[in-house]
Each structure stands twice: as structure tokens, then as C-alpha cells.
Amino acid sequence: MNAGARFGIPFSLKLLLGLLLFAGMFVVAMTTGAVDVSFRDVWLAAATQADGDKPLMIREIRLPRELAAVFVGAALAVSGAIMQGMTRNPLADPGLLGVTAGANAALAATMAFLPATSYYGITIACFVGAAAGAALVFGIGTMRRGGFSPIRIVLAGAAVSSFLYAVAEGVGLYFKISKDVSMWTAGGIIGTTWSQLQLIGPLIGCGLIGALLLSRQLTVLSLSEEVAAGLGQRILFVKTALLGIVVLLAGASVALVGSLAFLGLIVPHVVRAVVGTDYRYILPMSAVGGAALMLLADTIARTVNAPYETPVAAVIAMMGIPFFLAIVHRGGRTSS
């Protein structure tokens, strides 16, 4: 049966339902918070130059924050889906690549050795560190003849992540900046500005487009390398391109909001249960689902203990840990 028509429902209809869910979640996120606003207030703030406290708050605080949630949710979900397809490992997550650990280490080093660095400099350092962490994992994973295997990547990711986290902790303790580093990497989108979105948004947009262009190749690769080679796929080129996209998406997300685990694990499993195993369907639906889930998590984080904020990383972890244990318990068959 065509994966896109799973349950007898065309993929186009499923995608439309997903977009409606996302749109509804975006409206809820924009109108709910420490200061409740109406949909009319949101519309006036976004479409007109209306003055006042609420329009200003919506334009400068809530709208960039929720757009950041959309970008990060889509990026982490798609990068997680790519990782699971590339490694054929149901527990794969951007954190497996050492992306988060690399960003943390780069952040700590920048704060310690270049304390006068601007926000843009720190953001770029996080992005470069995330890319370096991923490159280190895949470099170690491909040292042996025959290319990387899922097991070697998992082991290399665990070893490199542990090392980079230790480096970040050591630098933070030695230079007495552990609190500053922790505040940055706690995983939150509070205080996101339009300038940050202008820097990170296009990077994530390019990554998502690249992922969609390679979705068919990812579907073939997810079957097995033998099948992909038999169909004439240039495996090394495809893997390198997909890895670059994962680094771009996950690295940009970490640079924008810090460490967020489990989102890239949860969404692809749920999406596969709905649309099947064809990545031409999984990737776009993961982008929509990831954005909606991130909006939900941020809304909960802002309202569950209002007027105080709960770290969004903690909210997602509370959602993800039971899901993770369920996947382990069922041997990674939740998406089959």
C-alpha cells in the first residue's frame, strides 16, 4: 500500500490536517500567556502599525518568540528524522551527533576566552561548535574501512558528547562562568529577537529545503546500503549531504535556543505511524508536527506556573522520557 495513503487517507489530506493543527496551535500560543490577548490584538499588531502596550508586546516579544519555536521545532524534528533514516536507529536524535555537546563547548570557550564577544559572535560560535561536534562524531565513525555503521556512530556519538560536555564543564568551572553557560544552554526561547531570527531563520529554511530535495534518496538509504548501492545511489555523497543538512538544522537550533533533547526523537516516530516509511512524506509532516509540538511545549512552559516560566527543555523532557522508554520497551517498533 502506498505509504502516503496509509489508513486510506491521501497524504495531501493528512498534510492539510497537520497544517490546520499547526495554525490552531500558533493562534493559541500567540493569545495565551502571562498577558492574555485576543486574536484581534494579534491581527492588529501583525497587520497594522497600531500603538499601545499590547501591540508592542506582541510585535517585540511574543511574535519573535513563537516564530523561533516554529523554526526550532521544524528543524529538530526534520534533523531527527534524517538521523533515524541514515542510521536506521530508532533512538537517533540530533544529540547523538554531538551537536549539543559541541555547541556547549564552543559557548563555554567563547565566554571564557572572548568575554567581550557580541551576541552574534556567541551565536556563530555555538553553530560552529555544533558542526565541529558532528564532524568529529562522523569522522571517528568513518575511520574504519567500509564506512560508518549505526553501531559505530552511536558509540562515537556517546564518546564525543561525553568528552565535549566535560570540556565545557571544565572551562566553566575554571573560569567561573558555569552559571552563564547554564543559562544559555538551559533550552529556552525567551528573549528571542528579530535580529536573531534574521540570522538563524534563513539557515534553517535552507536546511529544510535541502532535506526535502534529498527525501527520495533518504528513503532508499533507509532500506539498506546494499539496496541503495544496487539502485545506483552515490552513498557517500548522499550521506555527506544529509549530514551537512543535519548539522545545519540542529546546529542553528542549538545556537538559537540551547539544548533541547527528545523533540527530534518523538516527532518522526509519531509521523511514521501516520504517513508510513516514505521520507518524501515523513520530512514535510515532521516539519509541521515539530513546529506544532514546540509551540505546545512553549505555551505550557509559559502558563503552567505563570507568571514564572518553566524551562521549555524540561517540558519537552517530561514528554519525551516516557516516549523514549516506550520505544526501548518495544524494541524501536513504535513507528512500524
Side-chain angles (χ1 to χ4, degrees):
M1 182 173 63
N2 188 329
R6 201 168 185 174
F7 307 128
I9 302 175
F11 172 72
S12 57
L13 180 56
K14 294 176 183 176
L15 182 61
L16 177 61
L17 293 174
L19 289 171
L20 290 174
L21 174 64
F22 160 72
M25 196 61 244
F26 188 80
V27 171
V28 170
M30 286 296 299
T31 56
T32 306
V35 178
D36 286 338
V37 299
S38 65
F39 180 75
R40 182 174 180 274
D41 294 326
V42 175
W43 173 257
L44 290 176
T48 71
Q49 298 298 320
D51 295 324
D53 293 339
K54 283 188 177 180
L56 184 62
M57 182 274 292
I58 293 170
R59 287 195 201 100
E60 299 302 325
I61 298 177
R62 195 166 292 180
L63 183 56
R65 175 176 183 152
E66 301 314 325
L67 288 178
V70 171
F71 279 123
V72 170
L76 289 178
V78 169
S79 59
I82 293 174
M83 277 301 303
Q84 291 171 17
M86 284 180 65
T87 63
R88 295 182 292 283
N89 185 331
L91 299 178
D93 182 88
L96 177 70
L97 283 171
V99 171
T100 302
N104 284 355
L107 173 66
T110 303
M111 287 183 167
F113 298 108
L114 300 170
T117 303
S118 67
Y119 176 81
Y120 287 104
I122 292 177
T123 301
I124 293 172
C126 285
F127 182 77
V128 173
L136 195 57
V137 170
F138 274 76
I140 294 174
T142 55
M143 287 178 67
R144 294 185 61 181
R145 180 176 295 179
F148 61 73
S149 70
I151 296 298
R152 281 207 294 274
I153 288 297
V154 170
L155 295 176
V160 170
S161 294
S162 298
F163 170 72
L164 292 175
Y165 276 127
V167 170
E169 289 289 334
V171 171
L173 289 172
Y174 185 81
F175 289 92
K176 297 181 174 56
I177 56 172
S178 297
K179 184 178 179 181
D180 294 332
V181 175
S182 298
M183 288 181 65
W184 186 288
T185 60
I189 50 180
I190 184 172
T192 301
T193 65
W194 287 108
S195 297
Q196 291 174 277
L197 290 177
Q198 289 173 356
L199 176 66
I200 299 297
L203 296 175
I204 292 178
C206 291
L208 294 176
I209 293 172
L212 294 178
L213 292 176
L214 289 173
S215 58
R216 183 179 178 279
Q217 299 294 330
L218 179 59
T219 301
V220 175
L221 185 62
S222 69
L223 299 176
S224 73
E225 291 194 12
E226 290 75 13
V227 172
L231 293 174
Q233 184 182 88
R234 293 183 294 170
I235 295 176
L236 180 60
F237 171 79
V238 172
K239 283 184 174 179
T240 303
L242 289 171
L243 175 60
I245 291 170
V246 169
V247 168
L248 183 64
L249 293 175
S253 299
V254 171
L256 185 61
V257 304
S259 306
L260 287 178
F262 295 113
L263 197 146
L265 172 71
I266 298 173
V267 176
H269 278 280
V270 174
V271 167
R272 270 195 292 273
V274 175
V275 303
T277 57
D278 191 332
Y279 281 84
R280 291 177 300 172
Y281 306 124
I282 291 174
L283 295 186
M285 190 64 92
S286 291
V288 175
L293 182 60
M294 187 67 186
L295 287 169
L296 173 63
D298 183 58
T299 303
I300 293 174
R302 287 186 289 111
T303 57
V304 70
N305 190 33
Y308 305 103
E309 293 220 10
T310 302
V312 70
V315 175
I316 294 178
M318 291 296 292
M319 298 177 181
I321 289 175
F323 197 87
F324 177 85
L325 295 176
I327 295 173
V328 173
H329 179 69
R330 301 182 63 175
R333 298 192 300 273
T334 59
S335 61
S336 63

